[in-house]
Amino acid sequence: MAKIPHRLYLTEDQMPKQWYNLRADMKEQPDPMINPATMKPATEEDLYPVFCKKLAHQEMDAQTRYVDIPDEVLEMYKMYRPSPLIRAYNLEKALGTPAKIYYKFEGNNTSGSHKLNSAIAQAYYAKDQGLTSLTTETGAGQWGTALAEACSYFGIPLTVYMVKVSYQQKPFRKAIIETFDGKVIPSPSDTTEIGRKILAENPNTSGSLGCAISEAVEKAVTTEGCRYVLGSVLNQVLLHQSIIGLESKIAMEMLDEYPDIVIGCAGGGSNLGGLIAPFMQDKITGKADPRIIAVEPASCPSLTRGRYAYDYCDTGKVAPMARMYTLGSGFIPSANHAGGLRYHGMSPILSKLYHDGYMEAVAVEQTKVFEAATMFAKLETILPAPESSHAIRTAIDEALKCKETGEAKTILFGLTGTGYFDMAAYSAFLAGSMKDYIPTDEDLKRGFDGLPKIPGIQE
Amino acid sequence: MAKIPHRLYLTEDQMPKQWYNLRADMKEQPDPMINPATMKPATEEDLYPVFCKKLAHQEMDAQTRYVDIPDEVLEMYKMYRPSPLIRAYNLEKALGTPAKIYYKFEGNNTSGSHKLNSAIAQAYYAKDQGLTSLTTETGAGQWGTALAEACSYFGIPLTVYMVKVSYQQKPFRKAIIETFDGKVIPSPSDTTEIGRKILAENPNTSGSLGCAISEAVEKAVTTEGCRYVLGSVLNQVLLHQSIIGLESKIAMEMLDEYPDIVIGCAGGGSNLGGLIAPFMQDKITGKADPRIIAVEPASCPSLTRGRYAYDYCDTGKVAPMARMYTLGSGFIPSANHAGGLRYHGMSPILSKLYHDGYMEAVAVEQTKVFEAATMFAKLETILPAPESSHAIRTAIDEALKCKETGEAKTILFGLTGTGYFDMAAYSAFLAGSMKDYIPTDEDLKRGFDGLPKIPGIQE
């Protein structure tokens, strides 16, 4: 019998009462956002038309190390948090590794992922400011579901622009969002100027995440009392998601453990940034030196093959530009890529940390990811989301290296969500019809050619 | 801020190490099963061709009050148990009731329901006896998923006969079962005699649960080293599911609470029997007097409108007959009935307790159930399974009665699972196209006419 329990739940009392702002400890800050209208660094006020004030402040605030979590947010967190830290005993045994593998599981809520952590905060601040509606976009649907849950709880109407292909292929995701009173519109749509323009140019388009973002932003800035909210990439999102890492660290301390390696999947960076936050703090401040690994799909390799450059965050080019690892805002991963992690860029905070050598990154192919996912499901009896399974893949690979070297390293990875709405991809994998896709240098060049020119900054 | 936490998780150490066998405390026992081949009471040995030996023993054993949970089963339980006891603060507030509402949530595992509790036990005992394969049937798919998880864990091959209409309509359920290495066959099939017979008579049939049971049983008794396993109705299943009630009782004791009312949804009775076990023990032994309420669909009202009579447990009439509340083995609920809870009979243990006045029963219509489900989802941020939502409906109704009377009763209900695979039903409800269905007396008479004649017992 094991001394360390399979699952460790903190009590409500042990839950962090503050988020942690990693920027406060970074030796160098990410470069400032650029307002595309002025081509000058964006100010907090520049963000007010898009974000509510408190969130605009959080976006720009690099000084405040710890930010109090509002009571109302904590109350809703308590409906599904603290999330468990799980020891992967069966996976360890099956691999025959001396490594100890832990994972922080964020999938035990109806949205099915960690996205709820930021959705709650963003819906709360919007309500608190007296806003009367919100807009967002969703691709695979986890973010849309999470935000619909949060908006329903705080009583604020929500419109979700859902990438048309997802709207058509994932009617059940749409149904969940509607159960939580969210209004779902397939994107591109005729409700926005950018949508109408794209439809006029290409009436049969299946849509893209960038286009859905542009529609949601346009709707927000042109509607009284309405703002836009985004589930990843942003500094504010990483702040809210720090709850994942803070809880993980407390739980590991209770077990007298500290990770040698911290692994997270990386799309826009929300989960990775949240999970690693307190461990990165230790690394930056010299208290500890864990390896921190971002895992991205080989089909959308922003860190491993992207450029560290200023880029548009949305296809419509209305939101502020950010310096980040990017494939170019025109880059669209192959249609056969399953699940999320398909954003062209990466959180500016994580991009800076990677650029400065604090973090490693690996890209993995999706058949290898689904191999890991099915193995994990059978051993740990949790059906993982394709996104999360990128982290599983690398955790397994690192544990196998430990087997070779005989090192009993402690590995922590983020299991961000469940895969119940991704069974079409699982079926394709089981049937042997899943393909891998690695963009050619030519593919990437097309994306890079679309990077913006900013006088005096990026010519 | 609340003094009682939103969610209470027992620690691993606090987990029950024994199941509780309610029969040991019952004043009168359920009538014996009848072997349809001999028309005599079935013996433990009669069950050996169908069930493995330890399970046949558990099925017949009315004496042993507490049964040790094997270490191997406990180890797998620890991968998703203890399950949380949750205080429904938001639901209470929205209802404006003085009642305290608690629910035991069994949906946080990949099978999505409580079914895993018995699946693990049954797969373990089969493996322990050296059996080489198992068969079962599944309708909505929760049981098939749970058993596939358990069989995958213990390394025993599984064949699942899936009602053909579910096989066609729920490809994702099938995909999950296959992810856990289960073999899924649409029923009726040409792999059994009964299947071939039904197909010959009606090539276009969409199948039924009774037929799938018959195919699975036939396959088991005609295959070397193979046995059949069932996810509900049986005494052994109620024994395994007692873990739900035992954990609930420990958690409530920690909160210094005891339920005035215990509510569970009832199809075959697996969840209800498990949840109420220790509270029913108190009631039978005079230690306490909680009200215990079974909630069934108005479309399949075995307790509220069925007969207490001997009946076949399967359409193929090969399994032993049991005395239970039944609508007749030929009864099939309307096709527009969503989710599970569509079995024609009810656990013999629960039937006996209901017959002897220890338990109440109510039947609810499905539009009222989905009203409760969507309200609950929005307030408690868990998307409930349609089955579980029957219990939610009645918990809400009882809480509203408390509002009228001003009584601060303590209500405990079982939230057996999540509804991610039932979004088609949610969509129908949201679109206003969901219909109710209440069988006529004529409908019921047709079912009762098919009850078996047993010389000297039921003429």
Side-chain angles (χ1 to χ4, degrees):
Chain A
M1 287 288 163
K3 279 180 198 164
I4 290 179
H6 288 67
R7 320 195 135 209
L8 181 64
Y9 285 94
L10 304 182
T11 63
E12 272 187 14
D13 294 342
Q14 293 174 307
M15 260 178 76
K17 308 280 184 298
Q18 296 180 310
W19 293 302
Y20 166 61
N21 184 3
L22 187 48
R23 282 168 291 174
D25 285 304
M26 286 171 70
K27 305 269 191 231
E28 287 181 28
Q29 289 300 312
D31 289 305
M33 284 185 285
I34 301 287
N35 185 334
T38 62
M39 290 291 180
K40 296 254 156 65
T43 65
E44 189 174 313
E45 289 70 24
D46 284 350
L47 300 179
Y48 288 172
V50 184
F51 302 129
C52 75
K53 288 182 183 174
K54 288 237 174 85
L55 291 170
H57 180 71
Q58 289 181 356
E59 195 58 31
M60 303 305 256
D61 178 7
Q63 284 77 48
T64 312
R65 184 170 280 108
Y66 293 99
V67 176
D68 286 343
I69 305 175
D71 283 347
E72 293 83 351
V73 172
L74 267 180
E75 275 301 295
M76 192 173 175
Y77 276 180
K78 288 177 186 167
M79 298 177 71
Y80 67 101
R81 307 200 67 83
S83 69
L85 179 77
I86 307 180
R87 174 79 183 265
Y89 281 117
N90 292 325
L91 181 60
E92 291 171 17
K93 199 171 150 195
L95 296 174
T97 178
K100 289 183 278 186
I101 307 176
Y102 290 91
Y103 54 99
K104 178 73 167 168
F105 181 38
E106 292 287 320
N108 272 351
N109 67 73
T110 279
S111 76
S113 83
H114 68 291
K115 297 276 181 181
L116 195 52
N117 301 328
S118 184
I120 292 170
Q122 296 193 51
Y124 165 73
Y125 286 121
K127 182 76 180 175
D128 189 52
Q129 187 178 317
L131 296 177
T132 49
S133 66
L134 291 175
T135 67
T136 196
E137 83 296 330
T138 201
Q142 290 181 332
W143 168 246
T145 309
L147 190 63
E149 276 191 66
C151 285
S152 166
Y153 180 86
F154 288 113
I156 185 163
L158 170 70
T159 301
V160 180
Y161 287 88
M162 191 169 191
V163 178
K164 194 180 275 174
V165 62
S166 297
Y167 182 91
Q168 289 161 341
Q169 290 178 354
K170 299 201 168 184
F172 295 162
R173 271 289 185 196
K174 171 176 166 281
I176 291 201
I177 294 172
E178 289 173 346
T179 300
F180 288 98
D181 294 337
K183 184 177 171 191
V184 186
I185 297 177
S187 168
S189 75
D190 62 4
T191 66
T192 65
E193 222 169 277
I194 176 87
R196 287 187 292 270
K197 181 163 170 280
I198 291 172
L199 281 174
E201 287 164 7
N202 185 356
N204 297 319
T205 177
S206 58
S208 74
L209 202 55
C211 165
I213 294 175
S214 299
E215 285 205 87
V217 170
E218 181 187 322
K219 185 78 180 173
V221 299
T222 57
T223 305
E224 180 69 28
C226 184
R227 292 294 185 284
Y228 167 70
V229 290
L230 177 65
S232 192
V233 185
L234 299 172
N235 301 334
Q236 59 187 269
V237 174
L238 265 67
L239 176 72
H240 307 147
Q241 295 294 359
S242 68
I243 188 89
I244 304 173
L246 293 167
E247 282 186 10
S248 300
K249 198 175 173 202
I250 295 170
M252 294 206 83
E253 279 166 1
M254 287 171 65
L255 301 175
D256 210 16
E257 292 275 23
Y258 193 92
D260 298 300
I261 310 175
V262 184
I263 300 167
C265 63
S270 69
N271 147 70
L272 181 69
L275 173 69
I276 69 173
F279 303 105
M280 185 60 88
Q281 178 183 33
D282 289 348
K283 194 172 174 103
I284 293 172
T285 59
K287 278 193 196 152
D289 192 26
R291 283 177 63 204
I292 294 175
I293 309 177
V295 191
E296 59 185 14
S299 56
C300 193
S302 55
L303 287 172
T304 51
R305 296 178 69 200
R307 293 237 180 111
Y308 187 50
Y310 271 100
D311 197 7
Y312 304 106
C313 294
D314 63 319
T315 331
K317 307 180 180 177
V318 295
M321 294 180 286
R323 189 168 180 211
M324 57 186 175
Y325 279 88
T326 179
L327 299 165
S329 63
F331 179 85
I332 294 177
S334 163
N336 73 18
H337 169 72
L341 310 183
R342 47 173 68 237
Y343 187 66
H344 64 276
M346 177 60 64
S347 144
I349 292 176
L350 295 179
S351 292
K352 176 68 178 161
L353 289 167
Y354 178 61
H355 186 252
D356 291 352
Y358 288 100
M359 205 168 82
E360 306 166 39
V362 293
V364 291
E365 294 178 39
Q366 69 176 351
T367 52
K368 294 283 180 197
V369 167
F370 275 84
E371 254 177 35
T374 51
M375 179 185 187
F376 182 85
K378 283 186 263 190
L379 291 166
E380 296 289 318
T381 77
I382 294 173
L383 188 89
E387 296 85 348
S388 325
S389 304
H390 288 71
I392 298 174
R393 173 75 264 167
T394 297
I396 289 175
D397 292 342
E398 290 294 331
L400 289 174
K401 283 184 205 162
C402 288
K403 187 178 178 178
E404 277 178 32
T405 62
E407 289 170 288
K409 287 187 182 166
T410 299
I411 298 171
L412 167 67
F413 73 88
L415 189 73
T416 56
T418 50
Y420 305 127
F421 292 92
D422 301 288
M423 291 319 298
Y426 271 93
S427 288
F429 174 73
L430 292 172
S433 60
M434 175 174 276
K435 299 248 180 327
D436 284 318
Y437 164 75
I438 300 179
T440 63
D441 289 343
E442 269 306 299
D443 293 334
L444 296 186
K445 185 174 178 303
R446 274 193 297 277
F448 298 145
D449 286 347
L451 290 173
K453 312 264 180 256
I454 306 169
I457 297 177
Q458 180 168 289
E459 309 280 343
Chain B
M1 287 289 163
K3 281 180 195 163
I4 291 179
H6 289 68
R7 322 197 134 206
L8 181 64
Y9 286 95
L10 304 182
T11 62
E12 271 187 15
D13 295 341
Q14 292 174 308
M15 261 181 75
K17 307 284 184 298
Q18 296 180 310
W19 292 303
Y20 165 61
N21 183 4
L22 187 48
R23 283 168 291 173
D25 284 305
M26 286 171 71
K27 306 270 193 228
E28 287 181 28
Q29 289 302 312
D31 289 306
M33 283 186 286
I34 301 287
N35 183 335
T38 62
M39 289 294 178
K40 297 253 155 63
T43 63
E44 189 174 313
E45 289 71 24
D46 285 350
L47 300 180
Y48 289 173
V50 185
F51 300 130
C52 74
K53 288 181 182 172
K54 288 237 175 81
L55 291 170
H57 180 72
Q58 289 181 356
E59 195 59 30
M60 302 307 256
D61 178 7
Q63 283 76 49
T64 312
R65 184 169 281 109
Y66 293 100
V67 176
D68 287 343
I69 304 175
D71 282 347
E72 293 82 351
V73 173
L74 268 180
E75 274 301 295
M76 192 173 176
Y77 275 179
K78 286 177 187 168
M79 298 177 70
Y80 67 100
R81 305 200 69 82
S83 69
L85 180 76
I86 308 180
R87 174 80 182 265
Y89 281 116
N90 292 325
L91 181 60
E92 291 172 16
K93 198 171 153 196
L95 296 173
T97 178
K100 289 183 278 187
I101 307 176
Y102 291 91
Y103 55 99
K104 178 73 167 169
F105 181 39
E106 293 287 321
N108 271 352
N109 66 73
T110 279
S111 78
S113 83
H114 68 292
K115 296 277 181 181
L116 194 52
N117 301 328
S118 184
I120 292 169
Q122 296 193 49
Y124 165 72
Y125 285 122
K127 183 74 181 177
D128 189 51
Q129 187 179 317
L131 295 177
T132 49
S133 66
L134 290 175
T135 68
T136 197
E137 82 295 331
T138 202
Q142 289 182 332
W143 169 247
T145 309
L147 191 62
E149 276 191 66
C151 285
S152 165
Y153 181 86
F154 288 113
I156 185 164
L158 170 70
T159 302
V160 180
Y161 286 89
M162 190 169 192
V163 179
K164 194 180 279 178
V165 62
S166 297
Y167 182 91
Q168 290 161 341
Q169 290 178 357
K170 298 200 168 185
F172 294 161
R173 272 289 188 196
K174 172 177 166 280
I176 290 201
I177 295 172
E178 289 173 344
T179 299
F180 288 98
D181 294 336
K183 184 178 172 191
V184 186
I185 298 178
S187 167
S189 75
D190 62 5
T191 66
T192 65
E193 224 169 276
I194 177 86
R196 287 187 292 270
K197 182 164 169 282
I198 291 172
L199 280 175
E201 286 164 7
N202 186 357
N204 297 318
T205 178
S206 60
S208 74
L209 202 52
C211 165
I213 293 176
S214 300
E215 286 205 85
V217 171
E218 182 187 320
K219 185 77 182 173
V221 299
T222 58
T223 305
E224 180 70 28
C226 184
R227 292 293 184 284
Y228 167 71
V229 290
L230 178 66
S232 192
V233 184
L234 300 172
N235 301 334
Q236 58 188 268
V237 174
L238 265 68
L239 176 72
H240 308 148
Q241 294 294 357
S242 68
I243 188 88
I244 304 174
L246 293 167
E247 281 186 9
S248 300
K249 200 175 172 203
I250 296 169
M252 294 206 83
E253 279 166 2
M254 286 172 65
L255 301 174
D256 210 16
E257 292 275 22
Y258 193 92
D260 297 301
I261 310 176
V262 184
I263 300 168
C265 62
S270 70
N271 146 70
L272 181 70
L275 175 68
I276 69 173
F279 304 106
M280 185 59 88
Q281 177 184 35
D282 289 348
K283 194 170 173 104
I284 291 172
T285 58
K287 277 194 198 155
D289 192 25
R291 282 176 65 203
I292 293 175
I293 309 178
V295 192
E296 58 185 15
S299 55
C300 193
S302 54
L303 286 172
T304 51
R305 296 178 70 199
R307 293 236 180 112
Y308 187 50
Y310 271 102
D311 197 6
Y312 304 106
C313 293
D314 63 319
T315 332
K317 306 179 181 179
V318 295
M321 294 180 286
R323 190 168 178 211
M324 57 185 175
Y325 279 87
T326 179
L327 300 165
S329 62
F331 179 86
I332 295 177
S334 162
N336 73 18
H337 169 73
L341 309 182
R342 46 173 69 238
Y343 186 65
H344 65 276
M346 178 60 64
S347 144
I349 292 176
L350 295 179
S351 291
K352 176 68 178 161
L353 290 166
Y354 179 61
H355 185 253
D356 292 351
Y358 287 100
M359 204 168 84
E360 304 167 40
V362 293
V364 291
E365 294 178 39
Q366 71 176 351
T367 51
K368 294 283 179 196
V369 166
F370 275 85
E371 255 176 35
T374 50
M375 179 185 186
F376 182 86
K378 283 185 263 189
L379 291 165
E380 297 289 319
T381 75
I382 294 174
L383 188 90
E387 296 85 349
S388 325
S389 304
H390 287 72
I392 297 174
R393 174 74 265 168
T394 297
I396 288 175
D397 292 342
E398 291 294 330
L400 290 174
K401 283 184 204 163
C402 288
K403 187 179 179 178
E404 278 179 31
T405 63
E407 291 171 287
K409 287 186 181 166
T410 299
I411 297 171
L412 168 66
F413 74 88
L415 189 73
T416 55
T418 49
Y420 306 127
F421 291 93
D422 302 286
M423 292 318 298
Y426 271 91
S427 288
F429 174 74
L430 292 171
S433 61
M434 176 174 277
K435 299 250 181 322
D436 284 320
Y437 164 75
I438 300 179
T440 64
D441 290 343
E442 269 307 300
D443 292 334
L444 296 187
K445 187 175 176 303
R446 275 193 296 278
F448 297 145
D449 287 347
L451 290 172
K453 312 267 181 255
I454 305 169
I457 296 177
Q458 180 167 288
E459 310 278 345

